[in-house]
Amino acid sequence: MSAARLWRAFAAAVLSVTCTTACGVKPLITLPTGQLTPATDGEDAIEQATAACVAVRSMTAEIRLSGRIGGRRARSRLLVGVAAPASAYIEAPAPFGASAFVFAAVDDVATLLLPRDHRMLERGHPSDVLEAIAGVALTPHELRDTLTGCVTGVDGRAAQQSGDRWRVIFGEPRVYLRRSGPSEPWHVGAVVHRGNGRAEWRAEYADIVNGLPRTIRLARAEPSRFDVALALSQVELNVPLGDEVFHPVVPAGYQPITLDQLRASGPLAESSDR
């Protein structure tokens, strides 16, 4: 199958170029800028903000995705499962027929199935494969942290404050803690990533339920790459996920597709910033 034909098949199942304004996303959060002062409660704030997420060993959820990927409007329903230490599963089921794609990864090895086209990619690096199909490069561990609004290894003693409602911890990544009022609990409001030689991108968190976000915004500095909202529902925590979830069997007759072919036929085909 040609790259152009493969892209049309992928787009028909995952991307809607005629979707309504529901595909739009709200403006990004205005993060604190200007003069900040040292905070004395940074360690307590980060501990409180991450207390729920650090207890998550596994999570399953249904995710409604809307926004833009690779300059195209995107709208999809995803079924997601993640598990510690570094396993991930994402499926884009279709209303009828085969799923658009099935992505599964453990550690540094990913498998991607394109059931409608009987194509497969084996032994790809998870972050490379996810970047090719969704714009954002994440390892399984990073995906779990992103979906739970979790950050680890940050030094709360270095926190700066902006009024009563923001604490900022500089580093890689830069963490913004937020609360709705002086007596309300802290949560991770945004995480800005700049490292690993990649362009800056951020994750924003809202609709906190029991310490975990139900709405997530992922946006890269270049809007043509990705700017999407994720609405989580049907969330289940710390449920057993068997190894078979993350090691899908490749059906007989599937033909290989390379990462370069996937990139050429996927949502980022029109982007020149590789």
Side-chain angles (χ1 to χ4, degrees):
M1 180 180 288
S2 69
R5 184 180 174 191
L6 180 59
W7 160 242
R8 288 194 296 271
F10 189 95
V14 181
L15 305 179
S16 174
V17 298
T18 60
C19 65
T20 66
T21 54
C23 284
V25 290
K26 298 178 181 179
L28 292 168
I29 297 172
T30 300
L31 299 175
T33 57
Q35 187 65 39
L36 302 175
T37 57
T40 60
D41 60 351
E43 290 181 286
D44 291 338
I46 189 66
E47 181 178 357
Q48 185 178 78
T50 59
C53 69
V54 296
V56 175
R57 301 295 296 169
S58 68
M59 182 179 79
T60 61
E62 178 177 316
I63 297 178
R64 293 285 180 176
L65 178 151
S66 62
R68 287 184 174 273
I69 299 175
R72 299 175 183 268
R73 288 180 177 178
R75 194 180 190 181
S76 183
R77 182 172 73 95
L78 304 175
L79 304 178
V80 176
V82 290
S87 298
Y89 176 91
I90 305 174
E91 180 178 357
F96 304 98
S99 298
F101 70 83
V102 175
F103 166 90
V106 177
D107 297 326
D108 293 331
V109 180
T111 299
L112 179 73
L113 304 180
L114 302 174
R116 291 191 169 189
D117 303 299
H118 298 91
R119 304 293 293 271
M120 56 82 178
L121 187 154
E122 292 186 289
R123 304 197 67 78
H125 193 280
S127 61
D128 291 336
V129 177
L130 273 183
E131 185 175 37
I133 63 175
V136 57
L138 295 171
T139 66
H141 175 79
E142 290 169 338
L143 179 63
R144 179 164 55 92
D145 281 354
T146 298
L147 294 178
T148 58
C150 214
V151 288
T152 57
V154 297
D155 187 356
R157 294 172 297 179
Q160 301 283 305
Q161 68 181 44
S162 176
D164 291 330
R165 300 189 178 187
W166 287 98
R167 298 293 183 267
V168 184
I169 305 175
F170 292 90
E172 176 48 45
R174 181 180 298 179
V175 180
Y176 293 82
L177 305 180
R178 190 181 191 184
R179 62 183 176 183
S180 57
S183 61
E184 297 299 315
W186 290 103
H187 70 271
V188 177
V191 181
V192 177
H193 300 264
R194 296 183 177 182
N196 299 323
R198 300 183 182 274
E200 178 180 309
W201 67 279
R202 70 163 72 176
E204 297 181 352
Y205 300 97
D207 301 325
I208 308 302
V209 177
N210 297 325
L212 299 175
R214 291 295 184 267
T215 301
I216 303 170
R217 173 83 171 275
L218 305 179
R220 184 164 165 172
E222 302 93 337
S224 63
R225 298 291 283 187
F226 59 88
D227 189 350
V228 296
L230 310 179
L232 280 66
S233 63
Q234 309 298 319
V235 175
E236 293 191 40
L237 303 175
N238 298 326
V239 295
L241 296 175
D243 288 344
E244 67 277 4
V245 173
F246 308 110
H247 294 89
V249 176
V250 178
Y254 272 47
Q255 298 300 311
I257 183 174
T258 68
L259 186 63
D260 285 342
Q261 288 174 321
L262 186 65
R263 284 171 173 154
S265 61
L268 300 185
E270 295 182 348
S271 175
S272 60
D273 178 19
R274 299 287 178 195

